[in-house]
Amino acid sequence: MGSGIAEVAAASGCEVIVRSRSQATADGMVAVLEKSLARQVEREKRTSEEAAAILSRVRGTGELEELTDCDLVIESVVEDLTVKKALFGELDRLVKRDAILATNTSTLPVVEMAMETSRPEQVCGIHFFNPAAVMRLVEVVVPITAAPATIEAVHGFVEACGKEAVEVQDRAGFVVNALLFPYLNSAIRLLEAQVATMEGIDRAMMGGCGFPMGPFALLDLVGLDTSLSILEALYAESADPSVAPATTLRRMVAAGRLGRKSGHGFYDYRH
Ligand SMILES: NC(=O)c1ccc[n+]([C@@H]2O[C@H](COP(=O)([O-])OP(=O)(O)OC[C@H]3O[C@@H](n4cnc5c(N)ncnc54)[C@H](O)[C@@H]3O)[C@@H](O)[C@H]2O)c1
């Protein structure tokens, strides 16, 4: 998600720093962004001059200190509250006092990240969808600690990115994932109950509901580890048995079958 968000922000005219845990992985993220732009040029969605201008506004770094002068930082690391909270504490110490710190979390409580900082009124969620360059929606997540000026500024950023903002409260899953993940989890349970094959369930939901992809293709796109974390967060907050993660999903994550990003999930992408 990180490189997709960087692409969207750079395309809107922002100067973007992509920070990863090493220079090599940051360079890898910029390379992914470059590939995405090249594909758009190939499909005549952008000119090569536009792509070059976008790329020139992005640089990668392994150093958190380089974010000191940023006006807005969007965190998009692994969906793990402990990791995110520690990062917000570090960002708060390093990034200039008037900057906004945001998270791209899919489900985790934004207020807990905000309270790791000395500026909880300047922390909120900016939840992009996958792939960020293509999907129109951004959920603007409002924790009870956020100041109206923060949310107003974030709406301005989202609009400048050409996205449609929907403001949502800081509840597990917000709107989209609170509705989507019970469905995705139910699809895995239908497969476990052998109601139909995986391909059959995917074709049924595309043909019967007009969805652009079926639940298993979507789980593979989201990432099975991220999907498991989302379901765990939904279950932790609601204790609703319909979102208790399906056993098959747990076993696949344990086996390292994470979807497209690992080359193998419900479908096999290695050939
Ligand atoms: N995948 C989706 O469809 C999707 C959509 C919207 C939002 N999100 C959210 O975006 C965030 C990232 O998800 P993703 O799908 O890009 O995951 P990913 O696994 O592709 O990327 C996670 C990144 O976090 C890094 N990371 C792992 N542990 C870390 C640590 N301890 N400290 C710092 N960095 C660490 C990894 O190196 C990796 O670059 C999550 O919060 C997720 O919920 C994901």
Side-chain angles (χ1 to χ4, degrees), residues 91-111:
L91 286 170
D92 184 50
R93 282 187 287 283
L94 288 170
V95 182
K96 67 180 183 187
R97 186 62 192 87
D98 58 346
I100 292 174
L101 306 179
T103 173
N104 182 42
T105 182
S106 301
T107 35
L108 297 172
V110 180
V111 69

Side-chain angles (χ1 to χ4, degrees), residues 129-211:
F129 289 80
N130 191 5
V134 177
M135 300 301 279
R136 259 197 356 257
L137 179 69
V138 170
E139 288 178 325
V140 175
V141 186
V142 186
I144 52 174
T145 40
T150 301
I151 302 307
E152 199 181 314
V154 164
H155 273 286
F157 168 74
V158 172
E159 268 165 42
C161 289
K163 300 292 182 192
E164 186 181 333
V166 171
E167 207 171 294
V168 299
Q169 294 305 309
D170 184 20
R171 294 282 188 90
F174 316 128
V175 168
V176 173
N177 286 338
L179 292 174
L180 178 63
F181 272 83
Y183 152 71
L184 294 176
N185 203 36
S186 301
I188 305 172
R189 290 186 183 167
L190 276 187
L191 182 66
E192 288 172 344
Q194 299 181 346
V195 173
T197 62
M198 175 175 79
E199 293 82 357
I201 295 171
D202 269 359
R203 280 194 288 111
M205 294 313 290
M206 288 191 288
C209 292
F211 290 176

